[in-house]
Amino acid sequence: MTSDRSTSTPHSGHAVVLGAGIAGLLAARVLSESFDRVSVLDRDDLPGTGDTGDLGSGLGAGLGARRGVPQAGHLHALMDRGREILEELHPGLVTRLVAAGAPTSEALVGGRWYLQGRRVGPVSTGLTSVLASRPLLERELRRRTAALPGVRLLPRTAVIGLVGVGADESVTGVRIRAGAGDGASTVLAADLVVDASGRNSRSLDWLAAAGHPAPPTSRVTVDLGYASRIYQRRPEHLGGDLSVIISTTPGLRGGGAAAVEGDRWIVTLAGLLGEHPPTDDDGFRAFARRLPAPDIADLIGTATPLTDAVPYRFRESVRRHFEAVRRPPDGIVVIGDALCSFNPLYAQGMTVAAQQALVLRDCLSGGLRGLPGRFYRAVGPVLDVAWDMATSSDLRYPAVAGRRTLRGRVTGSYAARAQRRAHRDPAVARTLMRVVHLAEPPTALLRPALAARVLAPGAPRAIPPAAPTVRDRLAVPHHEQS
């Protein structure tokens, strides 16, 4: 194998991925198309890499979240665009999740969305919500990733440094220590390192210490706290609907409940700017009763709890603008939360990680020399969409710390009006949800005909009640039944 990165060809060389979360596993999938060998390193144990045939058996207490992913036991949502990408990269994935007990539904017909205190009408959107827990989704992705030719998962492996990180050098590998304790370290050589180790990535510090310029960073401080609890699910809960999402507006409190595998609910209560939910039983219930809509309080008032409430805190959204670095070092690409970490209220993280994997696959076709710069420039517009949507919403709260722009204020005001119009206008509701699910760009809301509906004075036309069809209640999406 040649050492000249510019001459790397498909199906040659060794790539190393730091982190076996969603971003890391999807990166490994696209890297397997361009490298003979791909090694995925993670500090945690990585159960479920073999095909046991029973993805639900490892849930145990709670949902079986990995120790290194403390937020994994909380409510997660895979947006429709993320589902499409995962199905493209791993055909049959949704069918497998459904076989393990994960429900699916259409976003507004099989679930309830509340924006600004009122429910969005149950109009068909063409969006499929996959209601799998994060641990179940990770488990299936690990199993499929481990089965790829040339890919190996290395659990209980700590990365303690980068190799070849001088100011004028390319990264040529990582220094690792396997197992627990302070044993001897070894060097794992790599033609490319992909850092998917999360928002607390150490590689950023290692690069800075070696003289590489740190990227400019944007921060929006939201001081979000949330708490989640698992309940037993019965068919009569929520009238048979499979999810309910209550936004934080009006006020600072919100929540969500989703049916997941094992006939369970994950219920998450959340609050911004210090309005954090208690974890004791009485406090958890009281917080739910003060939400803008009663559905979650009614649910937990009748459902049997299976776990105690578990808290989590998210202080700020962070975006690192590597696209602004003139010459990022070759040999390493940063993706996932290490690149851009979003307010989890908007459930964008997994879908944006999937979008980044596709961008990485496209950029690999140009070879390894200059890959980081190409990737950061290409992924920038993808991040812009999700980042602007989330932060413009957060910055509507005067106490949220972050840079405000005229464009952001106009965007936030227009989005708020679209949300109000969506309560009764089916066209606005449908497009708004498709934008939220990253299935269409935000500019879809600015199309002249739709903008006229958003900006029109007076009350919009009411959406007639929609009785769910048989297809809406089926576990498997329509496109997978043929």
Side-chain angles (χ1 to χ4, degrees), residues 292-312:
D295 305 55
I296 293 177
D298 292 345
L299 171 63
I300 65 178
T302 58
T304 302
L306 301 177
T307 68
D308 295 330
V310 177
Y312 187 76

Side-chain angles (χ1 to χ4, degrees), residues 321-335:
H321 297 273
F322 278 95
E323 71 276 12
V325 176
R326 189 169 66 88
R327 290 181 59 190
D330 273 336
I332 184 168
V333 168
V334 177
I335 68 170

Side-chain angles (χ1 to χ4, degrees), residues 152-224:
R152 59 174 180 164
L153 272 59
L154 300 178
R156 300 179 299 280
T157 301
V159 179
I160 59 176
L162 300 174
V163 179
V165 291
D168 297 320
E169 297 181 70
S170 300
V171 172
T172 58
V174 293
R175 186 170 292 278
I176 63 174
R177 181 177 291 125
D182 299 322
S185 65
T186 58
V187 170
L188 187 61
D191 296 277
L192 178 66
V193 174
V194 175
D195 180 5
S197 59
R199 57 187 288 116
N200 296 317
S201 165
R202 297 178 65 194
S203 69
L204 305 175
D205 296 329
W206 294 328
L207 290 171
H212 293 281
T217 301
S218 297
R219 301 177 185 273
V220 176
T221 303
V222 295
D223 190 15
L224 169 69

Side-chain angles (χ1 to χ4, degrees), residues 47 58-67 72-73 133-136 142 230 264:
L59 296 179
L63 290 164
R66 289 193 293 127
R67 183 179 62 180
S133 70
R134 168 75 176 264
L136 175 62
R142 282 198 302 271
I230 301 171
R264 305 177 186 195

Side-chain angles (χ1 to χ4, degrees), residues 221-280:
T221 303
V222 295
D223 190 15
L224 169 69
Y226 52 99
S228 297
R229 197 173 189 184
I230 301 171
Y231 293 82
Q232 189 69 47
R233 179 165 62 94
R234 297 200 305 269
E236 66 269 22
H237 287 158
L238 293 181
D241 286 337
L242 297 175
S243 65
V244 55
I245 304 295
I246 302 172
S247 73
T248 52
T249 54
L252 299 173
R253 301 178 179 210
V260 295
E261 67 276 4
D263 290 325
R264 305 177 186 195
W265 294 104
I266 300 180
V267 176
T268 296
L269 304 180
L272 296 167
L273 300 171
E275 288 284 328
H276 300 167
T279 56
D280 64 283

